[in-house]
Amino acid sequence: MGWSLLPRPSDRRSGRLYRSCIAELVGTFSYIFWGCMVQHSLDNSTTTTTDNTETLGVAIGFGAALAATVHIFSDISGSHFNPAVSLAMFVVQRISLTRMFIYWIMQILGALLAIAILDACDLKMGETHLSVNVGQGFLFELFGTLLWVYVALAATNELRSTVKSNIEYPLYVGLAFILLHLALVPLTGCGLNPPRSLLANAFFDTIEGYDWVYVVAPLVAAVLGGFSYELIFSNYYTDLSSSYMKNTKTINSIPKQ
């Protein structure tokens, strides 16, 4: 199976594509909006909090927001909510090029809506800034997005033999998001998502010359993650499935006594 340009005709006829697009818009909006709202609440809390406590709260807030929206929409759109995840899904041939670009548009619109509402309410939350040099920031954003991509690819891999449930993907991606925010908020602001980073910085007039890092690093991570997962890790499940089928045929060929 090769890369596909257009979505499957059945998706267009049944309306699944349109529902998926709305799910990407609403999901992207929800996780960014509610994650930023948690950050605002911590910043304006009457209780004295240390920087470490606030970082923990932001990490849990964004992780819970992403887990909740992934749980709602994973069966509808795949719950990408990030152009990097959609690009990785295209690289491993799980979505078409057209679907990827449509998802990108919906994700940008969702992030734009979330940031615009925050700005209208004078809640300037969600900006991302580097407290390390550009090279380090690039690597941190790349490795962070790579983990997000790997979690998404592994949790949605149909070749895996583990029993799937509606809680598996949300749980894993939520935990990964908490981990990434704990590690990266003090260093890069934990962007990992180009629209979320750039739009917040643009709306709140905090654009810096290094903001290209928040676009290039996630997209490079998507390509690297997609190809490496497909060529190295996904083959494990293919080989395992082939071995299982071979053993099953051998057992079935033994004459019954």
Side-chain angles (χ1 to χ4, degrees), residues 22-34 69 73 80-83 103 106-112 114 193 195-196:
I22 298 301
E24 284 296 304
L25 187 153
V26 176
T28 305
F29 163 82
S30 297
Y31 106 78
I32 293 175
F33 179 80
W34 290 113
T69 49
F73 297 116
H80 299 179
F81 309 150
N82 183 347
Y103 273 17
M106 294 298 105
Q107 290 154 3
I108 292 171
L109 290 177
L112 179 62
N193 187 336
R196 170 252 194 275

Side-chain angles (χ1 to χ4, degrees), residues 52-65:
N52 290 338
T53 303
E54 183 173 339
T55 299
L56 176 61
V58 170
I60 294 174
F62 269 98

Side-chain angles (χ1 to χ4, degrees), residues 2-25:
W3 286 287
S4 174
L5 176 62
L6 299 174
R8 290 175 297 184
S10 59
D11 285 352
R12 299 196 297 271
R13 288 195 298 267
S14 65
R16 282 197 293 261
L17 178 60
Y18 310 109
R19 286 192 290 270
S20 297
C21 293
I22 298 301
E24 284 296 304
L25 187 153

Side-chain angles (χ1 to χ4, degrees), residues 173-187:
V173 76
L175 290 174
F177 223 49
I178 292 173
L179 166 67
L180 290 171
H181 276 74
L182 287 173
L184 297 181
V185 163
L187 303 175

